[in-house]
Amino acid sequence: MRLGCDLASISRIQSVFSKHGSKFLGRILHATEIETVEALPEAERARFLAMRWAAKEATYKAFGSWRVPFPEIQVDKVRHVAPQVPGLPPPCADRMAPQLVFHGSTAALAHYIGVTDAQLTLSHEGDSVLAVVGLRLESTNPDQFGGSGPSI
């Protein structure tokens, strides 16, 4: 398992976005995410961008010594349905959960190093956004992971 985490400031990301606009979007977002942020009300854009920034930084850190271009990391949302477990209270109603989707060279790298699952959790409070990413690997061959040694 490889882990990465990042803490981002919504106001800092807003400042960068205000200064660089669409150039900033193109450097960090997948095309689908650009469409999503452009459709959002202006008041919601900074938090969306900060969450994507934190998710991509956390993913970058989880990949270790490998460079991964941010636009090739897409944060998507999927419906998560929890099963009913006998003897426990019913699960929460259907909810949307973040999911990482890799494209291009990042997808090829994930396949090469044996990523079998990528998990992402996001949280925000006030001006801060937190992202934690876990990459499950089928192989702990240190040569496949840039010589960083086995993961735990």
Side-chain angles (χ1 to χ4, degrees):
M1 175 70 75
R2 298 288 303 194
L3 296 175
C5 69
D6 192 65
L7 182 65
S9 162
I10 296 171
S11 59
R12 183 176 143 266
I13 296 298
Q14 174 62 53
S15 176
V16 173
F17 176 55
S18 295
K19 182 175 181 180
H20 298 286
S22 62
K23 183 179 179 183
F24 176 66
L25 298 182
R27 291 186 62 106
I28 70 161
L29 298 179
H30 182 267
T32 304
E33 295 170 318
I34 292 173
E35 291 174 9
T36 301
V37 75
E38 289 176 343
L40 289 174
E42 195 166 323
E44 295 177 25
R45 291 179 182 176
R47 187 178 72 173
F48 177 91
L49 291 171
M51 292 186 108
R52 292 315 183 265
W53 176 268
K56 291 163 188 253
E57 277 284 330
T59 303
Y60 183 86
K61 292 170 183 174
F63 270 100
S65 59
W66 296 97
R67 291 179 172 252
V68 291
F70 279 13
E72 292 185 358
I73 304 165
Q74 178 187 357
V75 179
D76 199 3
K77 286 192 173 187
V78 295
R79 184 159 308 283
H80 176 75
V81 181
Q84 173 65 48
V85 178
L88 295 178
C92 297
D94 291 355
R95 67 178 183 87
M96 299 300 285
Q99 175 181 318
L100 290 170
V101 180
F102 302 132
H103 300 276
S105 62
T106 302
L109 174 61
H111 176 75
Y112 173 76
I113 63 173
V115 174
T116 60
D117 188 30
Q119 294 291 317
L120 166 65
T121 187
L122 295 164
S123 186
H124 61 90
E125 176 67 36
D127 189 52
S128 298
V129 172
L130 175 69
V132 178
V133 168
L135 301 178
R136 183 175 300 150
L137 307 176
E138 66 183 352
S139 171
T140 57
N141 178 351
D143 293 332
Q144 281 188 308
F145 219 89
S148 62
S151 56
I152 299 175

